[in-house]
Amino acid sequence: EAGVTQSPRYAVLQEGQAVSFWCDPISGHDTLYWYQQPRDQGPQLLVYFRDEAVIDNSQLPSDRFSAVRPKGTNSTLKIQSAKQGDTATYLCASNPTGFGNTLYFGEGSRLIVV
Amino acid sequence: AQSVTQPDARVTVSEGASLQLRCKYSYSGTPYLFWYVQYPRQGLQLLLKYYSGDPVVQGVNGFEAEFIKSNSSFHLRKASVHWSDSAVYFCAVSPNSNNRIFFGDGTQLVVKP
């Protein structure tokens, strides 16, 4: 069974540039999460979807961050006008809907904004 | 608000020694509790999880954790660590049925040969 796949693995941007991260979850997993993990901190939830619907995006900086999952499978997280404070690893995870179900993580996309 | 506290940012132990990594959570109900591990350049992987039943839960690679409700703690233990256990360990809590999972800031474990 293929795991969660993310790309690109690394990105280096100047402030003000844009970047998109792509995630392919495990087949059959209807719930997909995007987490931001700053260096030496734990993952912090940005947004999560059930199928194509956004369930919670309350922690997503909506002025510059956006996330979509149009067909309920793959997902894209976009950062417009990146800032140095966005430097972090962006983790995608998926699981089947259900209380306490294990999250399966991708390897992450590491972003450095200079 | 829910929170997870891992008070030790870094723990160093010698190979073969026992290990305890501490975790305390803040939630009044009965949450799901997890320990995940992150090896270098890899995604987080589940070690074990607990919701109910025997408060000592076994996980992979000889790890176990004990739920102590009176102390709101879920400490991770291993009787004898190996150098390959060097990684970052995250405690996490899912407080209700809406699939949100909150993570602590992690404890970096360094196992000396």
Side-chain angles (χ1 to χ4, degrees):
Chain A
E1 177 182 87
V4 177
T5 305
Q6 293 187 244
S7 66
R9 291 294 308 278
Y10 301 96
V12 180
L13 302 179
Q14 302 278 346
E15 275 200 319
Q17 290 185 310
V19 64
S20 290
F21 299 118
W22 178 81
C23 173
D24 187 7
I26 291 174
S27 177
H29 284 189
D30 55 354
T31 307
L32 183 148
Y33 308 77
W34 284 102
Y35 283 87
Q36 181 190 60
Q37 185 180 18
R39 187 176 177 84
D40 297 329
Q41 294 185 34
Q44 297 160 18
L45 183 67
L46 291 173
V47 58
Y48 79 99
F49 299 84
R50 185 162 301 128
D51 298 319
E52 67 277 5
V54 173
I55 302 302
D56 186 346
N57 63 357
S58 59
Q59 303 305 310
L60 194 68
S62 58
D63 57 335
R64 297 184 299 107
F65 285 63
S66 62
V68 295
R69 192 185 184 199
K71 296 183 179 180
T73 52
N74 303 334
S75 178
T76 302
L77 175 70
K78 184 172 184 178
I79 306 174
Q80 294 182 322
S81 191
K83 299 181 179 180
Q84 288 189 356
D86 299 331
T87 293
T89 298
Y90 291 84
L91 302 172
C92 179
S94 69
N95 67 1
T97 296
F99 181 40
N101 280 346
T102 301
L103 283 178
Y104 294 85
F105 283 86
E107 294 179 333
S109 295
R110 178 160 171 76
L111 172 66
I112 297 174
V113 183
V114 299
Chain B
Q2 301 87 3
S3 68
V4 181
T5 302
Q6 296 181 247
D8 305 309
R10 182 181 172 104
V11 169
T12 302
V13 298
S14 297
E15 192 167 26
S18 63
L19 169 73
Q20 176 171 280
L21 301 182
R22 296 183 291 164
C23 173
K24 294 197 73 171
Y25 64 92
S26 170
Y27 182 69
S28 59
T30 304
Y32 244 108
L33 298 163
F34 306 83
W35 276 97
Y36 282 82
V37 61
Q38 187 174 33
Y39 298 104
R41 294 172 297 282
Q42 296 187 27
L44 281 77
Q45 304 168 35
L46 182 72
L47 274 180
L48 49 82
K49 63 182 179 182
Y50 173 81
Y51 180 66
S52 64
D54 186 339
V56 178
V57 59
Q58 304 297 320
V60 299
N61 297 334
F63 285 94
E64 66 176 29
E66 184 173 8
F67 170 62
I68 302 179
K69 186 173 184 178
S70 60
N71 198 32
S72 297
S73 67
F74 190 56
H75 301 329
L76 182 71
R77 305 188 299 230
K78 187 171 183 177
S80 176
V81 297
H82 186 265
W83 65 266
S84 60
D85 293 326
S86 295
V88 182
Y89 292 79
F90 292 95
C91 183
V93 58
S94 182
N96 55 35
S97 60
N98 69 4
N99 280 43
R100 290 202 62 175
I101 299 179
F102 299 90
F103 288 83
D105 281 338
T107 297
Q108 182 174 11
L109 174 64
V110 177
V111 180
K112 298 186 302 183

